[in-house]
């Protein structure tokens, strides 16, 4: 009799768990070595539940993947979950009611108390409801320097952008590419933004990116930034790569002296087992203006009419922001966690620098949070033209000011 009861109970358990076990297709654009290592931490954690992570990696940059993701959701062929950047990329999907309201998960998890800075939630909050789970803070504001390259050139590793520019001739003479840069507009636009913060300063950057003040975009501070961008274009003339991580690899291997890139580059250094402070250095704010921007990634969940899928989506949302997953994912990704109550003593020197700046409040909102996707695309297209031509700094600045004048 007892055996039968146990068998019935076990059967009931299996059928219940089988009924609630869900396969979720998760889309993202994390396909480099470091990114793949990081996203596998998410998949591993989700697969330890009763559910299954079906990986939907989309090759190419965010500029390639975002239209695919958004058109699938708009077109009625949604994935179970997707990565996008923090900021305004999903605002039309949220307004169209196509993304799952996560407010109950956020309240249960105390997100408004643990997410730091809370502005990470603002950009996916509409009418008081929360539609995304932030998973990291990535900042563009970094210059990565190869120790081997400067040793080969016989010069000290620079401690700021000005020292780096002064060392460029020595790098060239040693047959080292001074600046690594992939031939894609989003990379060139990101680097331009970093030079703007470092050279024009935070106030000018905010006036242009937050306030869309065309006069500052057309003014003398930004003229210096466009001149620096023209010099950087020369320094990257021999950087014949496309993808950002190929450019990072030029620095990792000492073929290039430096790269301006977001701190997702750390994932590549760590996969290559390069050691911060020994094999490479990292200068936040180009070493001129130690500040970070709070870019990064969040996950969104397209609505669907199956309550079991919805339950699994909410379980994944809670898992991505849980302390242990925040540590394992961010250490691999090279990003900072979205919560301040976890132990990141394992973080390397560069991440520790980032954590200190974050703790000191030296942060700026990311470009993705300030500009609409359309404005961001226009700026990226201008930078792609500028970097692939001999367009003058003055002409580029005039076109840029026009974009800012109409920015939304
Ligand atoms: C960014 C994203 C990062 C990083 C980078 C390069 O938009 O926030 O996670 O992976 O793209 O793919």
């Amino acid at each position: 009799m007892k055996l039968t009861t146990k068998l019935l109970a076990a059967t009931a358990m299996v059928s219940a768990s089988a009924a609630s076990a869900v396969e979720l297709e998760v889309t993202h654009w994390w396909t480099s070595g470091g990114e793949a290592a990081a996203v596998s931490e998410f998949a591993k954690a989700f697969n330890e539940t009763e559910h299954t992570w079906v990986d939907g990696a989309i090759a190419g940059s965010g500029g390639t993947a975002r239209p695919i993701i958004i058109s699938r959701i708009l077109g009625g062929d949604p994935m179970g979950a997707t990565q996008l950047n923090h900021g305004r990329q999903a605002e039309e999907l949220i307004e169209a009611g196509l993304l799952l309201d996560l407010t109950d998960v956020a309240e249960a998890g105390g997100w408004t108390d643990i997410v730091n800075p809370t502005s990470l939630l603002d950009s996916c909050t509409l009418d008081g409801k929360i539609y995304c789970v932030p998973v990291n803070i990535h900042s563009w504001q970094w210059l990565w320097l190869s120790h081997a390259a400067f040793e080969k050139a016989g010069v000290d590793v620079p401690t700021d952008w000005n020292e780096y520019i002064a060392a460029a001739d020595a790098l060239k003479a040693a047959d080292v590419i001074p600046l690594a840069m992939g031939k894609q507009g989003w990379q060139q636009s990101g680097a331009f933004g970093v030079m703007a913060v470092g050279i024009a300063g935070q106030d000018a950057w905010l006036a242009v990116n937050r306030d869309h003040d065309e006069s500052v975009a057309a003014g003398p501070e930004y003229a210096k930034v466009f001149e620096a961008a023209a010099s950087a274009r020369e320094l990257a003339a021999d950087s014949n790569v496309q993808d950002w991580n190929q450019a990072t690899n030029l620095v990792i291997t000492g073929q290039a002296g430096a790269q301006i890139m977001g701190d997702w580059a750390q994932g590549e250094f760590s996969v290559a087992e390069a050691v911060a402070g020994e094999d490479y250095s990292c200068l936040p704010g180009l070493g001129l203006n130690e500040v970070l921007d709070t870019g990064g990634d969040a996950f969104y969940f397209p609505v669907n009419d199956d309550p079991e899928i919805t339950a699994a989506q909410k379980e994944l949302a809670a898992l991505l922001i849980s302390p242990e997953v925040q540590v394992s994912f961010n250490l691999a990704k090279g990003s900072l966690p979205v919560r301040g109550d976890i132990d990141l003593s394992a973080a390397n020197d560069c991440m520790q620098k980032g954590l200190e700046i974050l703790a000191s409040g030296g942060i700026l909102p990311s470009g993705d949070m300030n500009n609409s996707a359309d404005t961001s695309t226009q700026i990226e297209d201008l930078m792609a033209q500028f970097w692939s031509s001999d367009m003058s700094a003055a002409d580029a600045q005039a076109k840029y000011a026009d974009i800012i004048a109409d920015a939304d």
Side-chain angles (χ1 to χ4, degrees), residues 29-32 34-35 60-63 66 83-86 89 135-140 186-187 244-245 261-265 295-298 329 333 335 368:
W29 59 80
W30 292 332
T31 54
S32 76
E35 293 170 327
S61 69
R66 267 192 301 275
Q83 169 245 342
L84 288 171
N85 290 123
H86 294 304
Q89 290 168 4
V135 295
N136 65 1
I137 296 171
H138 267 314
S139 172
W140 254 105
W186 73 274
Q187 296 179 55
W244 69 269
N245 50 310
M261 186 45 69
D263 43 20
W264 47 88
D297 303 295
F329 169 73
K333 192 74 172 63
S335 41
D368 289 328

Side-chain angles (χ1 to χ4, degrees), residues 53 131 158 174 180 227:
W53 172 292
Y131 292 90
E227 288 303 330

Side-chain angles (χ1 to χ4, degrees), residues 10-323:
T11 309
M13 280 290 288
V14 167
S15 59
S17 66
S20 65
V22 165
E23 292 190 350
L24 274 191
E25 179 198 9
V26 185
T27 50
H28 57 84
W29 59 80
W30 292 332
T31 54
S32 76
E35 293 170 327
V39 74
S40 70
E41 293 297 331
F42 278 164
K44 190 168 67 177
F46 194 53
N47 289 334
E48 283 166 5
T49 70
E50 71 270 36
H51 306 305
T52 305
W53 172 292
V54 177
D55 199 70
I58 302 170
S61 69
T64 309
R66 267 192 301 275
I68 295 171
I69 292 166
I70 289 173
S71 59
R72 275 192 57 185
I73 297 171
L74 290 172
D77 172 28
M79 61 297 296
T82 189
Q83 169 245 342
L84 288 171
N85 290 123
H86 294 304
R88 301 178 54 185
Q89 290 168 4
E91 67 186 9
E92 289 167 5
L93 297 174
I94 295 171
E95 287 160 1
L98 293 173
L99 297 181
L100 183 61
D101 175 4
L102 298 171
T103 308
D104 54 343
V105 184
E107 285 171 351
W111 293 3
T112 48
D113 300 326
I114 60 167
V115 170
N116 173 45
T118 46
S119 56
L120 299 183
L121 288 172
D122 296 350
S123 41
C124 58
T125 300
L126 181 72
D127 302 334
K129 292 179 180 164
I130 293 173
Y131 292 90
C132 82
V133 54
V135 295
N136 65 1
I137 296 171
H138 267 314
S139 172
W140 254 105
Q141 309 298 324
W142 293 90
L143 180 67
W144 307 97
L145 298 159
S146 160
H147 288 190
F150 288 93
E151 194 175 330
K152 184 178 175 188
V155 293
D156 291 341
V157 177
T159 63
D160 66 29
W161 177 255
N162 299 325
E163 287 180 14
Y164 161 69
I165 292 294
D169 287 344
L171 289 169
K172 280 182 196 166
D175 200 22
V176 171
I177 301 166
L179 183 67
M181 171 69 74
K183 297 183 185 310
Q184 292 167 354
W186 73 274
Q187 296 179 55
Q188 295 147 352
S189 175
F192 177 80
V194 177
M195 287 190 271
V197 171
I199 295 166
Q202 294 180 51
D203 294 342
W205 185 88
L206 283 167
V208 169
N209 287 280
R210 181 192 57 199
D211 309 333
H212 296 145
D213 183 335
E214 174 201 0
S215 66
V216 177
E221 297 107 322
Y222 262 70
K224 287 184 204 138
V225 186
F226 276 94
E227 288 303 330
S231 305
R233 179 174 62 184
E234 294 311 309
L235 297 179
D238 296 330
S239 174
N240 297 317
V241 292
Q242 288 300 320
D243 296 333
W244 69 269
N245 50 310
Q246 293 169 316
T248 308
N249 188 262
L250 291 176
V251 178
I252 290 170
T253 56
Q255 297 173 72
Q259 180 188 24
I260 298 176
M261 186 45 69
D263 43 20
W264 47 88
Q266 284 251 68
E268 304 310 296
F269 284 100
S270 64
V271 164
E273 296 180 350
V275 178
E278 289 176 26
D279 302 309
Y280 68 99
S281 290
C282 51
L283 297 181
L286 300 180
L288 296 174
N289 206 340
E290 292 215 346
V291 66
L292 298 180
D293 62 56
T294 52
D297 303 295
F299 275 72
Y300 299 80
F301 303 83
V303 294
N304 72 86
D305 52 13
D306 180 338
E308 287 178 351
I309 293 178
T310 302
Q313 288 174 312
K314 291 185 176 182
E315 202 172 325
L316 177 55
L319 190 66
L320 298 179
I321 200 170
S322 64

